[in-house]
Amino acid sequence: MTTGHYQLRLYIAGMTPAAKRAIENLEALALELGQQGERVEIQVVDIMERPQLAEDERILATPVVIRKLPPPIRRVVGDLSERQRVLVGLDIREYGSKDP
């Protein structure tokens, strides 16, 4: 098992049903990783309130989660309901890994 520190930023465009699911799924994922010794920081950014951040990050679709730390930056678009796809996409776990 890998222990590390992850900084994740979730971009949403208003509190839509997809945004709510993405927040819930990301919080559940962070809780599971935390129980395995990982440190996960989550920041939620509503691009309707902070459009400059969306422009700076070149956000084209929401919801999208960006792994800011550790480098390199990784992105996953969607409501984050496919846990394995999210973990692989963010390069937190390798494809086929059993945990979490």
Side-chain angles (χ1 to χ4, degrees), residues 20-73:
K20 289 178 186 176
R21 280 192 308 274
I23 292 168
E24 291 169 1
N25 289 331
L26 190 58
E27 287 174 344
L29 183 66
L31 181 63
E32 285 183 35
L33 290 170
Q35 291 172 346
Q36 295 178 14
E38 309 278 5
R39 198 168 121 220
V40 182
E41 293 177 44
I42 297 173
Q43 179 184 12
V44 178
V45 177
D46 188 338
I47 65 170
M48 306 299 276
E49 296 172 6
R50 302 182 70 189
Q52 186 60 47
L53 277 179
E55 189 174 321
D56 294 346
E57 291 283 355
R58 296 184 172 101
I59 303 299
L60 302 175
T62 61
V64 60
V65 65
I66 298 177
R67 188 190 78 191
K68 303 294 280 182
L69 289 176
I73 291 174

Side-chain angles (χ1 to χ4, degrees), residues 82-97:
E82 296 179 44
R83 181 160 299 167
Q84 185 66 25
R85 182 179 159 266
V86 173
L87 290 168
V88 171
L90 293 176
D91 202 17
I92 293 174
R93 296 287 183 265
E94 293 181 10
Y95 181 75
S97 176

